[in-house]
Amino acid sequence: MTAPQADLSGWSVAPFSGGGYTHDVYRKGGGPGVVLIPEIPGIHPGVLALGNHLVDNGFTVAMPSLFGEPGKPKTVGYIASSISRACVAREFAAFATNKQRPVSMFLRALARDLNASTPGKGVGVIGQCFTGGFALAAAVDDAVLAPVLSQPSVPLPLGRARRRDPGLSEAELATVADRCANDGLCAMGLRFSEDSAVPRERFAALKERLGNAFEVIEIDSSPGNVGGFGKMAHSVLTDEVREVDGQPAYEARKRVVEFLTQRLA
């Protein structure tokens, strides 16, 4: 059995401008809004399958195309070229610590726009891999009620400071922590236990700041793990999902949908 995949069928696309940037945004569905930020290398068939799954569960999904070619399947070369471009882009500040990333302003604007056009109390934001931490940065805006950080790998974890860095500035994190303490904001983080791209220290630092408002799902990927995950397991909600009850990544995806439903309905 392989991970779910899909194509661009049924998705509408239009450019959206916010925070000084313009990107195409793919939209589909009805119900409360979820901004689904793609992982490297872009809106690949696994990301589209996740988007369709959210639509099938009653959400309106907006996917910004921040890099890559929408619909194009993953290959080693495609991943490498997307990483190399993204790492040098000022918009993402892949190596910076304590940094407000310019892309966060675009994502907040998109979240506000989606919130204005969908039912519910607010919107969710799912970031993955390179974009995982961007979901939490988006939660500076009151429109965002359910940020989900799936395997957040920026800043790239080179050195102790970057391993603990949450992927947003101290000022942004302070705002999010205040929302958690006083406004009932909750966030979720997902990672595989042996994933060196997503250091355990990063989630520990976020747990220190956000407390019980930060729900952590850590899936065992150590040798001999019950899920059969390899040591390179990384993409919790896409590549590693097998749609079989009890499979840990599948159960994690179920919990994300439950979290979004609880927070947004």
Side-chain angles (χ1 to χ4, degrees):
M1 181 175 289
T2 59
Q5 296 197 337
D7 58 27
L8 289 164
S9 299
W11 292 87
S12 63
V13 60
F16 178 81
S17 298
Y21 291 89
T22 299
H23 294 288
D24 281 347
V25 175
Y26 290 76
R27 297 182 190 243
K28 191 177 187 179
V34 176
V35 176
L36 176 58
I37 319 171
E39 60 193 356
I40 293 288
I43 302 176
H44 63 76
V47 172
L48 286 163
L50 175 58
N52 283 345
H53 181 70
L54 294 169
V55 169
D56 291 344
N57 278 274
F59 297 101
T60 301
V61 177
M63 285 190 299
S65 181
L66 302 180
F67 35 70
E69 179 183 333
K72 183 176 178 177
K74 278 186 173 184
T75 64
V76 173
Y78 181 31
I79 292 170
S81 64
S82 290
I83 288 176
S84 63
R85 291 190 183 98
C87 281
V88 299
R90 178 183 174 275
E91 189 175 6
F92 307 128
F95 295 97
T97 58
N98 187 22
K99 174 71 173 178
Q100 176 172 297
R101 288 163 170 80
V103 69
S104 65
M105 304 301 291
F106 172 84
L107 293 170
R108 288 172 204 157
L110 179 58
R112 288 192 297 271
D113 179 76
L114 184 62
N115 186 43
S117 62
T118 53
K121 299 177 289 185
V123 301
V125 181
I126 300 175
Q128 306 170 84
C129 176
F130 195 85
T131 68
F134 302 167
L136 195 62
V140 167
D141 196 287
D142 290 344
V144 177
L145 295 184
V148 177
L149 295 68
S150 192
Q151 74 274 358
S153 58
V154 168
L156 302 181
L158 305 175
R160 183 177 181 275
R162 291 188 180 93
R163 291 176 67 83
R164 283 186 58 84
D165 192 277
L168 63 166
S169 70
E170 170 56 33
E172 290 172 310
L173 183 56
T175 298
V176 171
D178 181 73
R179 289 194 65 202
C180 288
N182 299 305
D183 299 336
L185 179 70
C186 292
M188 176 182 287
L190 306 97
R191 69 180 295 272
F192 283 101
S193 64
E194 310 308 304
D195 188 354
S196 60
V198 189
R200 184 174 283 110
E201 296 96 318
R202 182 166 294 158
F203 276 18
L206 285 169
K207 192 72 174 175
E208 288 171 10
R209 295 296 297 273
L210 306 182
N212 291 335
F214 185 50
E215 177 181 345
V216 174
I217 296 178
E218 184 176 273
I219 299 175
D220 183 14
S221 58
S222 63
N225 67 85
V226 296
F229 299 108
K231 64 180 181 180
M232 301 300 290
H234 176 65
S235 296
V236 177
L237 300 177
T238 56
D239 293 353
E240 300 298 337
V241 169
R242 303 294 183 269
E243 293 182 317
V244 177
D245 285 338
Q247 198 258 3
Y250 183 59
E251 295 300 323
R253 192 183 70 173
K254 286 184 187 177
R255 175 57 192 142
V256 168
V257 171
E258 181 182 50
F259 174 71
L260 293 170
T261 302
Q262 290 169 341
R263 301 295 301 165
L264 306 180

